[in-house]
Amino acid sequence: MSNLLTIWIPTYQREASLLELLHSLEQAGLAAIADVIVSDNDPVSSLGHSLQFQGHSLSYRRNVANLSAGVNFLRAFEVVTTPWLMIVGDDDFFTPAARDILIQTIDDLPEDITAVKYDSGLFGRQSACTVTALSGYLDTMLAADYPQAFNNLLLVSNWLFRTAPCRRHLATAYLGYSTKFSHLLPPLKACAQDGYRLMFSPLRPVSHGVSEAGWPKAATWYEMAISLSTFCGIIDAENRRALQRMLFHRDWARMVVKCLRVRPFYGSRSQGVRPLTIHLHLALLSWHYGLVMVLLAPLLWIPQAWYPRILRQKLGDPGRVERW
């Protein structure tokens, strides 16, 4: 009997954490009910030999080039043959209850659900709801919770996808492969054009590890905001507006930090991007950002080393997750 679920694991130079994930998968009993595929973005990796040596029952794919995380996610929809798909990061792991949660979810889901978003446990609590667009999801929370909700959406490991309706919208999804949310684009298109719905669940089949420096840097908040607002065809208008509400939320403290981080990200002339260009583009997209930019103007042109220590500590490392 063929399985109903495929667990797709994108990886890049993190063998130790990958083996921990596979161990948690076996301990949870998922190897008996799911196809497991490791998609390696390192074209010169010898990881396949290590996995065979460990005796894991799985398929291993080594890509001929580093496809980027976004393309690796979307490739899963093309390759898998099962009705359901999970894309699980190689630094995450399954909880002991994962098998029961996934079996119950798949057995009980209505036919018009294109994807299920589980709770991550990292960014507040996620309420249970079923919606036709992300605007309905935002209606269940306060505006102050938008940043946490956005972070939860970005965590690909907590999504369960129905592959058939998502696969129909891969062509446009690839236009947004460079964003942090390429995995959202197929199910959102299926909702907007084919009448499907999204389900948000408080259950937690996956727990999250701590990312290491080996993973290629994801798109920054700035790139997500600009791509979402300027690219055509990747997303419908209603879901675009909902994501923009989360990205440009009126949290003054967070917006100040984002504005002050533009130069650390784009201050090098070798990148060919001027920080002022980024500031002006974002100001055109959000009057809130523009107001913060004007108020912070004196700070934007002095070295960050001159900032007060408390402000430098708040800004932290530009690569930290708080950048979202």
Side-chain angles (χ1 to χ4, degrees), residues 169-176 185-186 189 193 227-228 230-237 240:
H169 300 285
L170 279 181
T172 53
Y174 272 115
L175 295 175
L185 301 178
K189 277 279 189 174
Q193 296 186 6
S227 298
L228 177 67
T230 57
F231 286 5
C232 297
I234 65 173
I235 195 170
D236 64 284
R240 185 194 302 271

Side-chain angles (χ1 to χ4, degrees), residues 167-182:
R167 190 177 291 121
R168 290 196 288 268
H169 300 285
L170 279 181
T172 53
Y174 272 115
L175 295 175
Y177 80 92
S178 62
T179 67
K180 179 65 176 177
F181 45 82
S182 64

Side-chain angles (χ1 to χ4, degrees), residues 61-176:
R61 296 170 53 90
R62 186 176 64 189
N63 300 315
V64 296
N66 188 340
L67 302 179
S68 81
V71 171
N72 207 343
F73 296 165
L74 296 177
R75 283 289 290 162
F77 293 100
E78 291 191 67
V79 172
V80 304
T81 58
T82 56
W84 295 94
L85 166 68
M86 288 190 78
I87 305 171
V88 181
D90 61 2
D91 60 340
D92 299 327
F93 56 92
F94 287 97
T95 65
R99 172 176 171 154
D100 292 339
I101 290 174
L102 294 173
I103 289 177
Q104 181 180 357
T105 299
I106 291 174
D107 287 345
D108 296 345
L109 273 184
E111 291 294 323
D112 66 342
I113 299 296
T114 187
V116 178
K117 173 66 179 71
Y118 293 109
D119 193 4
S120 69
L122 291 180
F123 304 103
R125 294 187 60 84
Q126 178 176 281
S127 301
C129 63
T130 302
V131 300
T132 57
L134 290 178
S135 55
Y137 176 50
L138 295 186
D139 290 342
T140 68
M141 66 188 75
L142 300 174
D145 297 325
Y146 288 176
Q148 302 285 58
F150 184 71
N151 281 327
N152 271 319
L153 289 177
L154 298 185
L155 296 171
V156 67
S157 299
N158 296 100
W159 284 89
L160 173 68
F161 303 98
R162 192 188 296 269
T163 54
C166 291
R167 190 177 291 121
R168 290 196 288 268
H169 300 285
L170 279 181
T172 53
Y174 272 115
L175 295 175

Side-chain angles (χ1 to χ4, degrees), residues 3 29 46 63 79 102 181 187-188 200 203 206 219-220 237 310:
N3 292 320
S46 59
N63 300 315
V79 172
L102 294 173
F181 45 82
L188 291 180
F200 291 83
L203 301 177
V206 174
T220 66
I310 188 171

Side-chain angles (χ1 to χ4, degrees), residues 265-295:
F265 271 115
Y266 296 104
S268 173
R269 290 182 178 271
S270 63
Q271 297 187 42
V273 179
R274 296 182 179 180
L276 180 60
T277 302
I278 301 294
H279 283 307
L280 293 178
H281 199 145
L282 292 170
L284 290 174
L285 298 176
S286 167
W287 70 266
H288 183 211
Y289 185 93
L291 180 58
V292 170
M293 182 187 72
V294 171
L295 294 175

